[in-house]
Amino acid sequence: MEKLKFERPFIKKITTGLPAKFGMKNRIEVVNNIDGLPVEELMNDYGSPVFVISERTLRQTISEARLAFSTRYPLVQFAWSYKTNYLDAVCRVFHQEGSWAEVVSIFEYKKALQNGVPGAQIIFNGPDKSAEDLELAINNNSLIHIDHFDELYMLAELSKKTQKKSKVAIRVNMDTGIYPQWDRFGFNYENGEAWEALNRILLNQHLDLVGLHTHIGTYITSPSAYRTAASKLANLVVEIRNKYNHAIQYIDMGGGFASQNTLRGSYLQGYDAAPSFDEYADAISSALINSAIRPDSLPLLILETGRALVDNAGYLLTSVLANKRLADGRRATIIDAGVNILFTSFWYDHTISPTRFDNDHTEETTIYGPLCMNIDCIRPAIVLPLLKKGDRLVVQRVGAYNMTQWLQFITMRPNIVLIDTHGKTHLIRKGETVETIKQQEQLPKHLE
Amino acid sequence: MLKLNKNIAISDTGYVFDPSIGESYTLNPIGLEIVELLKANKTDNEIKSIILERYDVDDATFERYYIDFTGMLKNYQLAKDE
Amino acid sequence: MSRKPVTIAVTGLNNIDSPGPGIPVIRGLRESAFFEPRIVGLAYEKLEPGIFMHDLVDKTYMVPYPSEGSNALIERVLEIHRQEKIDVLIPNFDAELYAFMKSAEVLRKAGIATFLPTIAQFEERHKSNLPEYGERYGLDIPKSQAVGTLEELEKAVKEYDFPVMIKGKYYDAYIVQNLQQAQNYFFKISAKWGTPVIVQEYIIGTELNVTALGDGEGNTTGAVAMRKTYITDKGKAWGGITIDEPRLLDITNKVMQQTKWRGGMEIEMIKSNDKIYIIEINPRIPAWVYLAVGAGQNHPEALAKLALGMKVEPFESYEVGKMFVRYSYDMIVSIKELEKLTINGEL
């Protein structure tokens, strides 16, 4: 007689709560392949844990975003936000799709140049630009977004010295009705600081004001905040035209579009809370088109969205190391990927999917990473099938920030694999070895 | 030997009711099977051989999950060692 | 005239001390002279009392929480629909409205009618958006601020005289008398609902409420005003009486007309000296709606008719001085029922 398939025996207490309106339950979604490639095979080939990026999803997402904006506004340009994911392979996919580069440090700036982005298509943002950095940017005709007055004066001086006009924009911060209001970057709209900066730039013959920039926050789920921001920038465009007869060439709305990840503590699932590209595009385009800007001089609309373009394309494949019981009987599961490589688990309830789900039985468990550190907790509570050692799990939507903010801590950072649009895999960043790390270290003579 | 509390009601759907404290539980099919065997006063070893006979599982794997499962029965105070 | 058979799915069967509106809505439907309803209850938890009220609810199905994602909830509703052929769905929880509004079109195509506000209407009356709402529509709203840190809380609290109200994004509201209490509730609320927490000026006066129904074209189909005569420690009405204050209805009409509200709504107001402030707008029928039925306006019936695309003549009046007194009642339930519900997900 053939033997029955074994599953582990299991008992679950029935909790008869009342509708607390704040349930922690989750639906089980099985993910056993990525773009048709079996998870098991990917992990056999590239190890565990391993990051996987789907080129197909990258290209699909950017084209969806492009379609949403270009059907509503005549002139649209995306600029890839390097800090979100600056792996060369990822950046080049976006550049092939027509994106410029948006960088916030000289490190990112140089990476963009090496990725073949023309200097004039690099937007240089952020509060940290040295005189040397700025000179390079001026000479390359890059778009320099001024963050503070000290930078403005330094730039004026450098432009005078090099006898080359800098192409500049200012970053404007403002009240868009959302909370919290980001006011640490750029010049404030409401208190007149932005105008003070604009006056100084427009009266300075070495500076060429080409654009206006804002970036209202991160993970913004209300498109109306973008509507407010776009109309405030449009007002500035009109007032600059009236006062100086100067045309602004572009409005850069920054990023901050939400991805479909679920914020920790959020009641709604991320894919329910996050607006679509169409909703953002509608808010921004209609604000600009309905503004007092003359239709024949509508500025180019630049978007620096990062998270919403790349999050969905990234997966982290990981394995169960062990199951255990906590002191009060609760289940805990240890996996081989920790918070050091999945930084976003500090603010997201990541969707973690099993690769198989053979019956209806589930249990609530806490997912811990492998680090010998108390903070290494990936999900405080998640409902999963009954897991066994060696089972594979897929953490979904990890494309943004993890591969840039990750830490080499206790363990080494793993391989990153790209699946191209033909379903072929490519190793795009080699996993670190002890040698990789030791390479940077130097031993003083007396300790050799 | 692990002993299941006497007054526990187990339905054939895997629904368990503990009348002493009023809690209810559900079991998966193999969990139900083990609980039924415990109720019939089978020893750990008898249960093991019955399950190994019927299911596609090795000794060590079963033992690991059996200990975990019976741990939960004890945790919920549905059974105790005697 | 024979009554029209109709299958209506209703959520919010939690008829507990802080009740959901499901059971009062069902009672209104049951008393309809027009409909002969089959009531399908949709429950999130196994102990929602309505599940066991077999004279009011014909059959109950368990459904997944909206926090599991609207897809899971809608799929389950459609699965139930294949068995029950639901004509109308009346959701009664704030937290689930979003999912149902978003999927109204999917449900309609499947043959399930709803009568819900649009997402934009739903969003703009959110507690944290109320000040702008008041400005936009020319309504008096107490001053309030959204705060996320202790510093902001302290600053905001100082702007108003004590007492002030500390409120959560979705639920919970406390009156505090000093900064320390404010801080305590700030932690309590932010731990439960996240930030921002809302600090609101406390208006001293009489709280008055209106339950109303908008037809989506700017007309008020029905509106009944009441004062809570007894409030529990959870802030819920345990008794109330219908009142005659034309200004409440004027404000209600104004809100309905300007926002073109579609569906049920509860407006909480405070009459202070001679001014009437709106303190909250709930985007659904309140749990005390049965008082409206008793006073001559069957809002649940009218809502079901509107959902089915029928023409509904607006109610002109209601009986003033009608009271409701809430009570609790212990039902006897067999554990077999709980077992059935647990194993099969339906009862």
Side-chain angles (χ1 to χ4, degrees):
Chain A
M1 196 184 83
E2 198 170 330
K3 290 193 175 183
L4 299 168
K5 193 169 160 0
F6 177 78
E7 72 171 1
R8 68 180 161 84
F10 160 75
I11 181 164
K12 182 159 83 172
K13 188 189 268 188
I14 294 171
T15 50
T16 43
L18 283 159
K21 298 160 187 162
F22 214 81
M24 285 297 292
K25 297 171 194 166
N26 270 81
R27 200 160 57 124
I28 309 281
E29 180 198 353
V30 170
V31 176
N32 53 23
N33 75 87
I34 296 166
D35 290 358
L37 297 185
V39 167
E40 194 64 35
E41 214 168 276
L42 286 164
M43 295 179 84
N44 288 342
D45 293 351
Y46 294 100
S48 175
V50 57
F51 279 100
V52 176
I53 295 173
S54 156
E55 184 178 342
R56 188 187 299 168
T57 309
L58 287 178
R59 291 190 190 270
Q60 260 168 13
T61 316
I62 178 81
S63 63
E64 268 168 40
R66 213 169 30 217
L67 188 70
F69 279 91
S70 61
T71 49
R72 292 177 169 85
Y73 193 82
L75 298 156
V76 180
Q77 178 61 53
F78 282 85
W80 176 241
S81 156
Y82 265 52
K83 64 177 172 296
T84 314
N85 190 320
Y86 43 60
L87 287 164
D88 286 342
V90 171
C91 295
R92 283 173 192 238
V93 169
F94 284 111
H95 296 322
Q96 277 188 1
E97 292 286 336
S99 291
W100 293 0
E102 184 262 324
V103 304
V104 292
S105 69
I106 196 66
F107 160 71
E108 291 184 0
Y109 188 93
K110 287 185 173 165
K111 250 183 161 256
L113 285 179
Q114 285 169 15
N115 279 326
V117 183
Q121 296 183 359
I122 302 178
I123 296 169
F124 200 171
N125 277 325
D128 174 19
K129 311 180 194 91
S130 71
E132 206 183 320
D133 304 346
L134 287 172
E135 258 192 79
L136 180 65
I138 295 170
N139 285 325
N140 281 330
N141 284 317
S142 297
L143 305 167
I144 302 168
H145 288 189
I146 303 172
D147 182 69
H148 43 72
F149 279 110
D150 286 326
E151 185 182 353
L152 197 162
Y153 288 120
M154 179 157 64
L155 198 56
E157 221 170 277
L158 287 167
S159 296
K160 195 170 160 192
K161 196 182 95 189
T162 52
Q163 283 302 308
K164 193 152 186 221
K165 262 191 155 192
S166 328
K167 290 187 167 180
V168 303
I170 61 163
R171 174 157 174 178
V172 183
N173 70 61
M174 59 181 79
D175 179 9
T176 58
I178 50 159
Y179 180 87
Q181 182 185 338
W182 273 17
D183 59 3
R184 62 168 282 196
F185 303 110
F187 304 90
N188 186 254
Y189 177 86
E190 283 82 13
N191 72 10
E193 199 186 35
W195 256 114
E196 216 158 294
L198 290 170
N199 284 334
R200 281 172 212 193
I201 294 169
L202 286 156
L203 294 171
N204 187 314
Q205 52 179 336
H206 303 291
L207 301 175
D208 182 13
L209 182 74
V210 289
L212 294 173
H213 171 218
T214 190
H215 191 126
I216 60 174
T218 186
Y219 209 91
I220 305 296
T221 52
S222 106
S224 66
Y226 284 96
R227 189 188 304 274
T228 309
S231 24
K232 285 185 175 175
L233 288 189
N235 284 345
L236 285 180
V237 171
V238 172
E239 287 167 34
I240 290 167
R241 159 83 77 172
N242 291 344
K243 187 168 169 189
Y244 290 97
N245 196 27
H246 178 86
I248 293 294
Q249 296 169 24
Y250 69 84
I251 279 183
D252 180 344
M253 290 301 297
F257 296 172
S259 77
Q260 294 178 332
N261 262 309
T262 305
L263 286 181
R264 216 166 246 194
S266 158
Y267 183 75
L268 295 172
Q269 288 289 307
Y271 48 81
D272 285 334
S276 63
F277 286 123
D278 284 317
E279 290 170 79
Y280 289 120
D282 186 61
I284 293 171
S285 314
S286 64
L288 293 180
I289 287 170
N290 296 331
S291 73
I293 302 177
R294 290 213 318 259
D296 58 349
S297 61
L298 278 174
L300 173 71
L301 169 61
I302 297 181
L303 298 150
E304 300 172 353
T305 180
R307 185 194 307 277
L309 291 180
V310 76
D311 228 1
N312 273 3
Y315 301 82
L316 175 60
L317 316 186
T318 160
S319 313
V320 173
L321 294 179
N323 270 313
K324 62 201 292 183
R325 291 265 171 214
L326 303 178
D328 58 359
R330 276 182 306 136
R331 163 76 61 193
T333 303
I334 305 170
I335 61 173
D336 63 2
V339 289
N340 60 319
I341 60 167
L342 194 63
F343 230 73
T344 48
S345 54
F346 287 121
W347 53 89
Y348 289 147
D349 278 337
H350 275 294
T351 306
I352 303 180
S353 303
T355 52
R356 42 188 287 190
F357 183 27
D358 301 328
N359 56 56
D360 288 341
H361 292 282
T362 59
E363 70 183 338
E364 187 172 292
T365 183
T366 302
I367 304 263
Y368 292 114
L371 306 180
C372 196
M373 293 283 289
N374 200 39
I375 55 160
D376 192 19
C377 175
I378 304 288
R379 282 288 304 263
I382 181 172
V383 175
L384 284 173
L386 316 182
L387 297 169
K388 294 201 287 273
K389 180 175 164 58
D391 279 351
R392 312 296 204 181
L393 293 173
V394 177
V395 188
Q396 298 191 58
R397 291 185 280 271
V398 300
Y401 293 103
N402 286 306
M403 287 160 253
T404 51
Q405 282 186 301
W406 57 355
L407 297 175
Q408 187 274 309
F409 177 59
I410 297 184
T411 58
M412 288 161 295
R413 291 171 288 194
N415 284 330
I416 303 179
V417 176
L418 180 86
I419 302 178
D420 69 21
T421 48
H422 305 293
K424 205 166 159 310
T425 56
H426 306 265
L427 185 61
I428 58 169
R429 190 183 190 277
K430 275 194 288 191
E432 290 164 344
T433 61
V434 176
E435 277 59 46
T436 324
I437 312 304
K438 278 183 64 176
Q439 212 171 31
Q440 293 302 105
E441 291 190 33
Q442 293 182 34
L443 212 52
K445 265 260 169 301
H446 71 284
L447 295 176
E448 273 177 9
Chain B
M1 192 179 120
L2 193 67
K3 269 267 207 233
L4 205 64
N5 294 355
K6 283 220 165 46
N7 52 358
I8 285 170
I10 306 157
S11 80
D12 48 13
T13 56
Y15 191 88
V16 176
F17 177 62
D18 177 1
S20 61
I21 51 168
E23 290 282 8
S24 299
Y25 309 84
T26 51
L27 292 162
N28 62 349
I30 186 165
L32 175 63
E33 205 169 326
I34 293 172
V35 167
E36 297 282 9
L37 292 170
L38 284 170
K39 199 170 184 180
N41 289 318
K42 300 279 184 221
T43 65
D44 290 351
N45 278 333
E46 287 168 333
I47 292 173
K48 185 157 83 180
S49 58
I50 293 170
I51 296 293
L52 292 187
E53 183 74 22
R54 274 168 55 73
Y55 288 89
D56 180 23
V57 63
D58 64 79
D59 200 323
T61 309
F62 175 70
E63 187 164 310
R64 179 154 32 121
Y65 294 119
Y66 182 71
I67 290 170
D68 183 74
F69 178 68
T70 51
M72 285 315 288
L73 294 180
K74 285 187 265 188
N75 190 319
Y76 290 141
Q77 299 182 30
L78 296 168
K80 56 175 176 282
D81 287 311
E82 269 177 14
Chain C
M1 195 184 85
S2 71
R3 299 193 299 164
K4 181 180 161 65
V6 60
T7 301
I8 303 183
V10 179
T11 68
L13 307 181
N14 53 329
N15 214 46
I16 52 168
D17 62 342
S18 174
I23 294 300
V25 164
I26 293 169
R27 290 182 69 198
L29 295 170
R30 287 259 179 241
E31 285 172 27
S32 164
F34 183 80
F35 289 122
E36 190 182 337
R38 170 172 167 80
I39 301 293
V40 173
L42 305 179
Y44 293 100
E45 290 286 352
K46 298 181 200 82
L47 279 196
E48 293 186 34
I51 299 170
F52 308 100
M53 298 181 179
H54 303 305
D55 50 340
L56 288 174
V57 183
D58 294 298
K59 182 154 188 185
T60 302
Y61 293 85
M62 299 300 298
V63 291
Y65 270 104
S67 58
E68 288 182 50
S70 56
N71 300 347
L73 176 61
I74 299 302
E75 270 167 32
R76 174 72 173 140
V77 169
L78 291 175
E79 181 189 322
I80 295 165
H81 179 54
R82 282 192 281 277
Q83 284 185 44
E84 293 288 347
K85 266 214 53 45
I86 299 167
D87 297 304
V88 181
L89 168 68
I90 306 181
N92 288 306
F93 279 125
D94 291 10
E96 69 190 2
L97 278 181
Y98 191 84
F100 286 121
M101 289 183 305
K102 214 178 134 180
S103 309
E105 191 52 28
V106 176
L107 294 171
R108 193 189 62 77
K109 280 189 183 141
I112 304 176
T114 55
F115 201 70
L116 299 170
T118 63
I119 288 179
Q121 289 173 337
F122 178 79
E123 286 293 332
E124 72 172 354
R125 52 89 248 164
H126 243 288
K127 253 184 253 184
S128 44
N129 300 337
L130 259 194
E132 296 92 73
Y133 188 88
E135 220 168 275
R136 187 170 319 136
Y137 298 118
L139 303 163
D140 289 313
I141 311 280
K143 292 191 211 92
S144 72
Q145 285 180 47
V147 301
T149 63
L150 278 183
E151 290 79 57
E152 290 171 340
L153 173 77
E154 195 173 334
K155 216 175 114 216
V157 164
K158 279 187 181 149
E159 274 179 40
Y160 314 129
D161 287 333
F162 282 107
V164 298
M165 302 286 292
I166 308 286
K167 295 175 149 191
K169 235 185 320 188
Y170 297 107
Y171 294 97
D172 280 353
Y174 301 95
I175 300 169
V176 300
Q177 303 292 346
N178 54 49
L179 182 61
Q180 207 203 335
Q181 279 184 350
Q183 288 165 342
N184 283 346
Y185 284 116
F186 173 81
F187 285 126
K188 196 170 161 176
I189 292 172
S190 58
K192 203 162 161 194
W193 304 113
T195 53
V197 166
I198 292 135
V199 177
Q200 193 182 67
E201 171 190 26
Y202 182 72
I203 307 277
I204 296 160
T206 312
E207 187 180 330
L208 303 170
N209 297 324
V210 173
T211 176
L213 200 55
D215 71 355
E217 278 155 28
N219 305 309
T220 309
T221 303
V224 173
M226 74 111 173
R227 180 175 71 83
K228 296 175 182 173
T229 50
Y230 183 81
I231 298 174
T232 66
D233 54 2
K234 284 197 175 170
K236 299 289 158 186
W238 209 253
I241 184 163
T242 56
I243 56 171
D244 179 23
E245 165 54 279
R247 283 183 300 168
L248 296 183
L249 301 183
D250 289 346
I251 291 173
T252 306
N253 288 335
K254 198 167 164 186
V255 169
M256 292 294 180
Q257 200 174 29
Q258 293 182 339
T259 64
K260 295 199 166 35
W261 187 265
R262 199 163 179 274
M265 170 188 271
E266 180 189 26
I267 312 181
E268 299 182 8
M269 295 180 251
I270 286 197
K271 187 170 160 186
S272 172
N273 297 322
D274 232 23
K275 229 168 158 184
I276 294 176
Y277 294 87
I278 294 186
I279 51 172
E280 206 164 312
I281 296 178
N282 293 318
R284 44 150 183 87
I285 289 177
W288 58 273
V289 69
Y290 192 70
L291 177 65
V293 178
Q297 297 196 3
N298 192 336
H299 290 183
E301 177 195 57
L303 182 74
K305 282 184 178 169
L306 286 169
L308 290 168
M310 296 178 199
K311 185 141 178 59
V312 180
E313 283 304 317
F315 294 102
E316 297 291 343
S317 64
Y318 58 88
E319 210 176 317
V320 173
K322 273 273 182 203
M323 289 173 56
F324 80 90
V325 180
R326 211 164 256 170
Y327 74 117
S328 58
Y329 178 93
D330 300 351
M331 290 181 292
I332 302 303
V333 175
S334 153
I335 188 156
K336 282 280 153 212
E337 296 207 307
L338 189 62
E339 180 182 337
K340 245 170 100 182
L341 194 65
T342 305
I343 305 289
N344 305 329
E346 55 188 74
L347 183 68

